[in-house]
């Protein structure tokens, strides 16, 4: 299988990405999976290490076929992930779901799980392009900063994770209470949660007099979802 499903289908790309609990919330449609990835900025990446399982948050980027992760060349989790199975998850918390009984409390969320074999990118040209994708995924300002030095590239490890085995799970709406509790005196409802960008402030040691780059100015008062740029291929 070379790609995620392109149609709105209930078929997972593989048995190990099938959502088993809350199956009605599963999303296997490629467009929905990529939309959730594009809206996020942090992936929690897990690998098995000789010292046991390890999960760390990382910035990421993507193109049409790969999810890209990066860190220092000595990064334990990335080094362990090279050529090994890794799992990356991206989650958006959209709201608290407060039920009449704490047993039925929940959260509204959008999440994606990507599983596969991480591969280290050794070609400098491809590594540089992956780093651009990671940077511009968070905020498109690669062209406004100093290009990486060759010495910096040597110290940086970049992994690519194929976007083949990926699935999403989404919860929206009100709490689901027991029928006998509906007539009770207890409140039930939702509390929305948003992440919003503030105004960019200059570094204390900024001496150049340069202005805030336009992509950073444009973030002011936007939510994570609103900040999304048209995806670069």
């Amino acid at each position: 299988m070379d790609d995620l499903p392109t149609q709105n289908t209930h078929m997972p790309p593989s048995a190990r990405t099938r959502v088993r609990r809350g199956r009605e919330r599963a999303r296997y449609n490629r467009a929905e999976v990529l939309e959730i990835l594009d809206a996020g900025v942090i992936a929690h990446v897990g690998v098995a290490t000789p010292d046991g399982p390890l999960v760390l948050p990382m910035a990421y980027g993507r193109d049409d076929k790969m999810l890209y992760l990066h860190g220092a060349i000595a990064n334990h989790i990335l080094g362990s992930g090279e050529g090994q199975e890794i799992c990356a998850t991206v989650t958006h918390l959209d709201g608290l779901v407060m039920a009449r009984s704490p047993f039925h409390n929940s959260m509204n969320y959008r999440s994606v799980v990507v599983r596969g074999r991480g591969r280290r990118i050794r070609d400098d040209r491809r590594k540089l392009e992956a780093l651009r994708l990671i940077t511009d995924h968070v905020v498109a300002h690669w062209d406004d900063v100093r290009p990486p030095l060759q010495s910096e590239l040597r110290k940086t490890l970049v992994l690519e994770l194929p976007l083949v085995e990926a699935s999403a799970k989404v919860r929206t709406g009100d709490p689901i209470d027991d029928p006998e509790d509906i007539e009770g005196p207890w409140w039930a409802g939702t509390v929305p949660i948003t992440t919003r960008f503030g105004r960019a402030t200059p570094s204390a040691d900024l001496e150049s007099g340069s202005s805030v780059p336009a992509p950073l100015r444009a973030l002011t008062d936007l939510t994570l979802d609103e900040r999304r740029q048209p995806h670069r291929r």
Side-chain angles (χ1 to χ4, degrees), residues 51-231:
D51 298 323
L54 182 63
V55 178
L56 289 177
M58 296 182 182
Y60 65 92
R62 77 162 183 91
D63 58 21
D64 287 340
K65 294 189 177 296
M66 297 287 175
L67 190 74
Y68 297 102
L69 307 163
H70 83 294
I73 199 74
N75 186 303
H76 184 55
I77 190 169
L78 288 180
S80 298
E82 182 185 356
Q84 297 185 20
E85 291 288 336
I86 64 178
C87 179
T89 65
V90 174
T91 303
H92 304 271
L93 183 58
D94 294 323
L96 302 179
V97 179
M98 310 309 296
R100 294 167 176 85
S101 163
F103 182 79
H104 294 302
N105 285 348
S106 187
M107 297 181 188
N108 284 334
Y109 59 86
R110 292 160 288 153
S111 65
V112 163
V113 172
V114 184
R115 301 185 66 172
R117 192 171 296 276
R119 297 192 295 259
R120 181 175 176 178
I121 299 176
R122 299 183 182 275
D123 177 76
D124 281 351
R125 182 188 59 80
R126 292 193 61 237
K127 181 188 287 189
L128 200 63
E129 178 57 27
L131 291 171
R132 173 191 279 269
L133 288 170
I134 293 169
T135 299
D136 283 353
H137 171 78
V138 179
V139 56
H141 79 132
W142 179 271
D143 293 331
D144 299 312
V145 297
R146 172 181 63 75
L149 302 174
Q150 191 63 36
S151 59
E152 293 171 328
L153 286 177
R154 286 196 298 268
K155 297 176 183 177
T156 304
L157 187 150
V158 180
L159 287 186
E160 58 182 6
L161 177 62
L163 281 170
V164 175
E165 291 187 90
S167 63
K169 191 175 181 183
V170 177
R171 191 204 190 280
T172 61
D174 289 336
I176 302 173
D177 278 302
D178 294 327
E180 57 269 25
D181 290 335
I182 300 298
E183 299 296 328
W186 310 284
W187 186 89
T190 60
V191 182
I193 297 174
T194 58
T195 298
R196 190 174 297 276
F197 293 92
R199 188 177 301 277
T201 57
S203 172
D205 61 0
L206 185 67
E207 298 178 353
S208 65
S210 59
S211 59
V212 177
L216 298 179
R217 292 199 306 271
L219 288 177
T220 305
D221 292 331
L222 295 184
T223 66
L224 272 179
D225 288 289
E226 292 168 341
R227 92 167 197 320
R228 287 178 295 173
Q229 304 289 335
H231 184 62

